Amino acid sequence: MHLHEMSFRRCDGHGCGGFGDSRGSRKHNGVDMACRPGSDVCSPVSGKVTKLGYPYGDDLSFRYVEVSTHGYRYRMFYVEPCVSVGDEVTRDTVIGKAQALGGRYAGITEHVHFEVMNSRDDFIDPTPIILAQQH
Ligand SMILES: [Zn+2]
């Protein structure tokens, strides 16, 4: 699935999925897009795979894929990677499969988390990127 084919997570008992929404003392630094676990997830942009990371230090079963281009880093969380660091990808490249979050957050809307950092390591609001792709 492409990001623009998913719907925004909105809110559930664990919080809301928008950029800047509260996460206790912190702010949500990405956007959550509802996605059924096991779905193929496409790269958000054309670029190069620069990292296969771990969102949670206490559970290394969860993964994220980072794709970089033009100084920006695009990260898709809760995706089991099927690509390798250094791979060139396009928006039609499947980068992995969506992982199930319900075992960690009971009742949560299953989703992928999308976040974008600029060259100064600031998180930027990815909402306009998704909306632009919906047209
Ligand atoms: Zn999120």
Side-chain angles (χ1 to χ4, degrees):
M1 288 181 86
H2 295 90
L3 271 176
H4 68 266
E5 296 171 316
M6 306 174 193
S7 54
F8 290 91
R9 173 185 161 205
R10 315 266 181 219
C11 301
D12 57 35
H14 294 275
C16 302
F19 183 77
D21 285 335
S22 173
R23 288 294 182 273
S25 60
R26 299 183 306 139
K27 298 250 186 238
H28 188 226
N29 54 21
V31 169
D32 296 336
M33 302 300 288
C35 187
R36 188 168 292 124
S39 301
D40 285 336
V41 175
C42 295
S43 178
V45 291
S46 294
K48 183 178 279 193
V49 178
T50 43
K51 188 172 184 179
L52 303 177
Y54 299 91
Y56 301 119
D58 65 350
D59 187 344
L60 301 185
S61 67
F62 289 102
R63 303 301 308 272
Y64 70 81
V65 177
E66 178 188 86
V67 177
S68 299
T69 185
H70 295 100
Y72 287 78
R73 286 175 284 160
Y74 302 78
R75 290 178 171 176
M76 299 283 282
F77 281 63
Y78 320 129
V79 172
E80 177 67 40
C82 67
V83 290
S84 302
V85 172
D87 286 357
E88 298 281 351
V89 296
T90 73
R91 283 176 51 194
D92 288 322
T93 305
V94 173
I95 58 174
K97 283 197 187 303
Q99 298 184 295
L101 284 167
R104 186 176 176 96
Y105 305 107
I108 200 166
T109 305
E110 294 287 351
H111 65 274
V112 294
H113 166 101
F114 177 47
E115 63 182 41
V116 183
M117 297 171 81
N118 65 18
S119 55
R120 295 188 303 274
D121 291 347
D122 299 318
F123 290 103
I124 65 165
D125 183 357
T127 309
I129 297 171
I130 298 167
L131 293 177
Q133 293 182 359
Q134 287 176 335
H135 296 292

Tab-separated table of all heavy atoms in Angstrom, residues 31-71:
chain	number	residue	atom	x	y	z
A	31	VAL	N	3.064	11.236	11.669
A	31	VAL	CA	1.649	11.039	11.382
A	31	VAL	C	1.399	9.539	11.292
A	31	VAL	O	2.194	8.814	10.693
A	31	VAL	CB	1.253	11.727	10.056
A	31	VAL	CG1	-0.136	11.301	9.610
A	31	VAL	CG2	1.309	13.231	10.204
A	32	ASP	N	0.305	9.100	11.913
A	32	ASP	CA	-0.054	7.684	11.885
A	32	ASP	C	-1.105	7.428	10.825
A	32	ASP	O	-2.122	8.129	10.766
A	32	ASP	CB	-0.590	7.247	13.248
A	32	ASP	CG	0.461	7.340	14.342
A	32	ASP	OD1	1.658	7.299	14.012
A	32	ASP	OD2	0.065	7.445	15.514
A	33	MET	N	-0.864	6.409	10.002
A	33	MET	CA	-1.788	6.040	8.942
A	33	MET	C	-2.279	4.626	9.206
A	33	MET	O	-1.467	3.696	9.358
A	33	MET	CB	-1.102	6.119	7.577
A	33	MET	CG	-0.519	7.494	7.240
A	33	MET	SD	-1.753	8.830	7.204
A	33	MET	CE	-2.645	8.443	5.692
A	34	ALA	N	-3.605	4.471	9.266
A	34	ALA	CA	-4.193	3.163	9.582
A	34	ALA	C	-3.811	2.157	8.510
A	34	ALA	O	-3.909	2.435	7.306
A	34	ALA	CB	-5.709	3.295	9.677
A	35	CYS	N	-3.383	0.991	8.950
A	35	CYS	CA	-2.870	-0.017	8.022
A	35	CYS	C	-3.005	-1.393	8.659
A	35	CYS	O	-2.622	-1.581	9.815
A	35	CYS	CB	-1.402	0.285	7.712
A	35	CYS	SG	-0.696	-0.744	6.435
A	36	ARG	N	-3.579	-2.323	7.911
A	36	ARG	CA	-3.772	-3.683	8.426
A	36	ARG	C	-2.420	-4.395	8.532
A	36	ARG	O	-1.625	-4.363	7.582
A	36	ARG	CB	-4.698	-4.450	7.477
A	36	ARG	CG	-5.134	-5.807	7.965
A	36	ARG	CD	-6.261	-6.365	7.112
A	36	ARG	NE	-7.486	-5.600	7.277
A	36	ARG	CZ	-8.163	-5.016	6.282
A	36	ARG	NH1	-7.738	-5.123	5.048
A	36	ARG	NH2	-9.264	-4.337	6.528
A	37	PRO	N	-2.145	-5.036	9.681
A	37	PRO	CA	-0.887	-5.773	9.811
A	37	PRO	C	-0.745	-6.805	8.690
A	37	PRO	O	-1.708	-7.448	8.297
A	37	PRO	CB	-1.023	-6.468	11.177
A	37	PRO	CG	-1.969	-5.610	11.943
A	37	PRO	CD	-2.937	-5.070	10.921
A	38	GLY	N	0.461	-6.921	8.184
A	38	GLY	CA	0.730	-7.850	7.092
A	38	GLY	C	0.638	-7.221	5.723
A	38	GLY	O	1.048	-7.837	4.736
A	39	SER	N	0.106	-5.998	5.646
A	39	SER	CA	0.017	-5.314	4.358
A	39	SER	C	1.413	-4.975	3.838
A	39	SER	O	2.303	-4.611	4.613
A	39	SER	CB	-0.758	-3.993	4.494
A	39	SER	OG	-2.055	-4.212	4.983
A	40	ASP	N	1.586	-5.066	2.533
A	40	ASP	CA	2.802	-4.563	1.912
A	40	ASP	C	2.816	-3.047	2.012
A	40	ASP	O	1.809	-2.395	1.725
A	40	ASP	CB	2.862	-4.961	0.434
A	40	ASP	CG	3.202	-6.430	0.247
A	40	ASP	OD1	3.820	-7.018	1.153
A	40	ASP	OD2	2.836	-6.989	-0.803
A	41	VAL	N	3.945	-2.474	2.414
A	41	VAL	CA	4.065	-1.024	2.557
A	41	VAL	C	5.086	-0.517	1.543
A	41	VAL	O	6.205	-1.031	1.458
A	41	VAL	CB	4.515	-0.655	3.988
A	41	VAL	CG1	4.750	0.843	4.111
A	41	VAL	CG2	3.475	-1.121	5.001
A	42	CYS	N	4.678	0.500	0.765
A	42	CYS	CA	5.558	1.083	-0.251
A	42	CYS	C	6.385	2.212	0.347
A	42	CYS	O	6.001	2.843	1.333
A	42	CYS	CB	4.736	1.626	-1.413
A	42	CYS	SG	3.850	0.359	-2.328
A	43	SER	N	7.501	2.513	-0.294
A	43	SER	CA	8.331	3.638	0.125
A	43	SER	C	7.556	4.945	-0.028
A	43	SER	O	6.829	5.122	-1.008
A	43	SER	CB	9.604	3.691	-0.723
A	43	SER	OG	10.394	4.799	-0.344
A	44	PRO	N	7.702	5.879	0.928
A	44	PRO	CA	6.993	7.159	0.815
A	44	PRO	C	7.558	8.062	-0.272
A	44	PRO	O	6.872	8.977	-0.724
A	44	PRO	CB	7.177	7.785	2.195
A	44	PRO	CG	8.409	7.163	2.746
A	44	PRO	CD	8.475	5.776	2.171
A	45	VAL	N	8.806	7.838	-0.663
A	45	VAL	CA	9.482	8.689	-1.650
A	45	VAL	C	10.468	7.844	-2.448
A	45	VAL	O	10.800	6.723	-2.072
A	45	VAL	CB	10.288	9.836	-0.978
A	45	VAL	CG1	9.371	10.862	-0.351
A	45	VAL	CG2	11.271	9.271	0.037
A	46	SER	N	10.956	8.414	-3.541
A	46	SER	CA	12.093	7.828	-4.237
A	46	SER	C	13.362	8.266	-3.521
A	46	SER	O	13.510	9.443	-3.176
A	46	SER	CB	12.141	8.303	-5.688
A	46	SER	OG	11.031	7.811	-6.399
A	47	GLY	N	14.266	7.331	-3.303
A	47	GLY	CA	15.500	7.657	-2.605
A	47	GLY	C	16.298	6.411	-2.329
A	47	GLY	O	16.147	5.400	-3.017
A	48	LYS	N	17.136	6.525	-1.299
A	48	LYS	CA	18.007	5.410	-0.939
A	48	LYS	C	17.701	4.973	0.488
A	48	LYS	O	17.482	5.817	1.365
A	48	LYS	CB	19.476	5.843	-1.049
A	48	LYS	CG	20.466	4.715	-0.766
A	48	LYS	CD	21.904	5.179	-0.923
A	48	LYS	CE	22.310	5.180	-2.384
A	48	LYS	NZ	23.775	5.331	-2.557
A	49	VAL	N	17.669	3.660	0.713
A	49	VAL	CA	17.488	3.142	2.066
A	49	VAL	C	18.763	3.415	2.853
A	49	VAL	O	19.854	2.995	2.456
A	49	VAL	CB	17.184	1.626	2.050
A	49	VAL	CG1	17.050	1.094	3.479
A	49	VAL	CG2	15.922	1.333	1.245
A	50	THR	N	18.616	4.193	3.953
A	50	THR	CA	19.789	4.609	4.716
A	50	THR	C	19.843	4.009	6.117
A	50	THR	O	20.870	4.111	6.788
A	50	THR	CB	19.855	6.145	4.829
A	50	THR	OG1	18.553	6.653	5.115
A	50	THR	CG2	20.350	6.747	3.520
A	51	LYS	N	18.750	3.412	6.561
A	51	LYS	CA	18.786	2.797	7.894
A	51	LYS	C	17.637	1.822	8.040
A	51	LYS	O	16.538	2.082	7.546
A	51	LYS	CB	18.681	3.884	8.978
A	51	LYS	CG	18.894	3.370	10.395
A	51	LYS	CD	18.965	4.542	11.388
A	51	LYS	CE	19.268	4.029	12.790
A	51	LYS	NZ	19.368	5.118	13.771
A	52	LEU	N	17.895	0.723	8.726
A	52	LEU	CA	16.843	-0.179	9.190
A	52	LEU	C	16.951	-0.160	10.703
A	52	LEU	O	17.922	-0.670	11.271
A	52	LEU	CB	17.045	-1.597	8.623
A	52	LEU	CG	17.092	-1.683	7.094
A	52	LEU	CD1	17.379	-3.128	6.661
A	52	LEU	CD2	15.780	-1.206	6.475
A	53	GLY	N	15.996	0.494	11.359
A	53	GLY	CA	16.150	0.777	12.783
A	53	GLY	C	15.132	0.072	13.652
A	53	GLY	O	14.319	-0.743	13.191
A	54	TYR	N	15.205	0.423	14.944
A	54	TYR	CA	14.372	-0.188	15.980
A	54	TYR	C	13.658	0.920	16.762
A	54	TYR	O	14.309	1.683	17.484
A	54	TYR	CB	15.245	-0.998	16.941
A	54	TYR	CG	15.985	-2.129	16.275
A	54	TYR	CD1	17.260	-1.928	15.755
A	54	TYR	CD2	15.409	-3.388	16.155
A	54	TYR	CE1	17.942	-2.958	15.128
A	54	TYR	CE2	16.085	-4.425	15.534
A	54	TYR	CZ	17.350	-4.211	15.025
A	54	TYR	OH	18.016	-5.233	14.396
A	55	PRO	N	12.336	1.014	16.653
A	55	PRO	CA	11.625	2.060	17.389
A	55	PRO	C	11.722	1.914	18.908
A	55	PRO	O	11.696	2.917	19.622
A	55	PRO	CB	10.162	1.889	16.956
A	55	PRO	CG	10.217	1.101	15.686
A	55	PRO	CD	11.439	0.248	15.794
A	56	TYR	N	11.795	0.674	19.398
A	56	TYR	CA	11.734	0.439	20.842
A	56	TYR	C	12.970	-0.334	21.305
A	56	TYR	O	13.218	-1.455	20.850
A	56	TYR	CB	10.489	-0.382	21.203
A	56	TYR	CG	9.190	0.255	20.795
A	56	TYR	CD1	8.336	-0.378	19.900
A	56	TYR	CD2	8.810	1.492	21.313
A	56	TYR	CE1	7.131	0.202	19.522
A	56	TYR	CE2	7.609	2.072	20.939
A	56	TYR	CZ	6.784	1.424	20.051
A	56	TYR	OH	5.598	2.001	19.683
A	57	GLY	N	13.703	0.259	22.228
A	57	GLY	CA	14.868	-0.428	22.766
A	57	GLY	C	14.520	-1.672	23.558
A	57	GLY	O	15.353	-2.566	23.713
A	58	ASP	N	13.275	-1.742	24.039
A	58	ASP	CA	12.894	-2.884	24.878
A	58	ASP	C	12.170	-3.977	24.087
A	58	ASP	O	11.723	-4.958	24.667
A	58	ASP	CB	12.023	-2.415	26.057
A	58	ASP	CG	10.686	-1.844	25.601
A	58	ASP	OD1	10.499	-1.634	24.376
A	58	ASP	OD2	9.833	-1.600	26.468
A	59	ASP	N	12.013	-3.791	22.791
A	59	ASP	CA	11.392	-4.839	21.968
A	59	ASP	C	11.904	-4.729	20.535
A	59	ASP	O	11.393	-3.953	19.738
A	59	ASP	CB	9.869	-4.732	21.992
A	59	ASP	CG	9.209	-5.917	21.285
A	59	ASP	OD1	9.914	-6.644	20.537
A	59	ASP	OD2	7.998	-6.119	21.486
A	60	LEU	N	12.922	-5.518	20.258
A	60	LEU	CA	13.602	-5.398	18.962
A	60	LEU	C	12.847	-6.096	17.841
A	60	LEU	O	13.340	-6.166	16.714
A	60	LEU	CB	15.028	-5.952	19.073
A	60	LEU	CG	15.901	-5.247	20.120
A	60	LEU	CD1	17.331	-5.784	20.079
A	60	LEU	CD2	15.894	-3.735	19.940
A	61	SER	N	11.629	-6.595	18.142
A	61	SER	CA	10.836	-7.172	17.049
A	61	SER	C	10.241	-6.071	16.178
A	61	SER	O	9.894	-6.310	15.022
A	61	SER	CB	9.729	-8.082	17.589
A	61	SER	OG	8.763	-7.343	18.304
A	62	PHE	N	10.104	-4.856	16.733
A	62	PHE	CA	9.561	-3.750	15.945
A	62	PHE	C	10.683	-3.069	15.175
A	62	PHE	O	11.781	-2.892	15.684
A	62	PHE	CB	8.847	-2.743	16.845
A	62	PHE	CG	7.557	-3.270	17.401
A	62	PHE	CD1	7.487	-3.736	18.705
A	62	PHE	CD2	6.419	-3.323	16.618
A	62	PHE	CE1	6.302	-4.244	19.216
A	62	PHE	CE2	5.231	-3.825	17.121
A	62	PHE	CZ	5.179	-4.287	18.420
A	63	ARG	N	10.355	-2.692	13.928
A	63	ARG	CA	11.386	-2.148	13.046
A	63	ARG	C	10.898	-0.871	12.361
A	63	ARG	O	9.702	-0.603	12.314
A	63	ARG	CB	11.731	-3.161	11.929
A	63	ARG	CG	12.185	-4.521	12.417
A	63	ARG	CD	13.423	-4.472	13.300
A	63	ARG	NE	14.543	-3.732	12.710
A	63	ARG	CZ	15.467	-4.268	11.912
A	63	ARG	NH1	15.394	-5.529	11.577
A	63	ARG	NH2	16.465	-3.528	11.459
A	64	TYR	N	11.852	-0.101	11.856
A	64	TYR	CA	11.494	0.972	10.929
A	64	TYR	C	12.466	0.992	9.760
A	64	TYR	O	13.588	0.474	9.860
A	64	TYR	CB	11.404	2.337	11.615
A	64	TYR	CG	12.685	2.980	12.092
A	64	TYR	CD1	13.519	3.677	11.218
A	64	TYR	CD2	13.033	2.945	13.440
A	64	TYR	CE1	14.670	4.294	11.671
A	64	TYR	CE2	14.188	3.560	13.905
A	64	TYR	CZ	15.008	4.238	13.015
A	64	TYR	OH	16.148	4.841	13.473
A	65	VAL	N	12.000	1.580	8.668
A	65	VAL	CA	12.800	1.718	7.453
A	65	VAL	C	12.967	3.210	7.183
A	65	VAL	O	11.982	3.957	7.174
A	65	VAL	CB	12.105	1.036	6.246
A	65	VAL	CG1	12.927	1.246	4.972
A	65	VAL	CG2	11.890	-0.456	6.515
A	66	GLU	N	14.198	3.644	6.987
A	66	GLU	CA	14.489	5.045	6.667
A	66	GLU	C	14.960	5.147	5.218
A	66	GLU	O	15.870	4.429	4.805
A	66	GLU	CB	15.581	5.568	7.605
A	66	GLU	CG	15.989	7.015	7.323
A	66	GLU	CD	17.207	7.411	8.143
A	66	GLU	OE1	18.343	7.157	7.680
A	66	GLU	OE2	17.024	7.954	9.246
A	67	VAL	N	14.303	6.051	4.471
A	67	VAL	CA	14.685	6.344	3.084
A	67	VAL	C	15.086	7.816	3.032
A	67	VAL	O	14.379	8.677	3.578
A	67	VAL	CB	13.513	6.068	2.118
A	67	VAL	CG1	13.894	6.447	0.690
A	67	VAL	CG2	13.083	4.598	2.193
A	68	SER	N	16.216	8.120	2.402
A	68	SER	CA	16.712	9.498	2.354
A	68	SER	C	16.821	9.990	0.925
A	68	SER	O	17.139	9.219	0.012
A	68	SER	CB	18.096	9.595	3.019
A	68	SER	OG	18.007	9.218	4.372
A	69	THR	N	16.543	11.292	0.767
A	69	THR	CA	16.752	11.965	-0.512
A	69	THR	C	16.799	13.465	-0.272
A	69	THR	O	16.080	13.982	0.599
A	69	THR	CB	15.644	11.590	-1.525
A	69	THR	OG1	15.963	12.180	-2.793
A	69	THR	CG2	14.284	12.084	-1.086
A	70	HIS	N	17.653	14.167	-0.991
A	70	HIS	CA	17.738	15.621	-0.924
A	70	HIS	C	17.863	16.150	0.502
A	70	HIS	O	17.267	17.171	0.851
A	70	HIS	CB	16.524	16.262	-1.615
A	70	HIS	CG	16.468	15.997	-3.091
A	70	HIS	ND1	15.653	15.028	-3.645
A	70	HIS	CD2	17.153	16.537	-4.121
A	70	HIS	CE1	15.826	15.018	-4.948
A	70	HIS	NE2	16.731	15.896	-5.275
A	71	GLY	N	18.595	15.442	1.348
A	71	GLY	CA	18.843	15.911	2.707
A	71	GLY	C	17.734	15.633	3.702
A	71	GLY	O	17.875	15.938	4.881
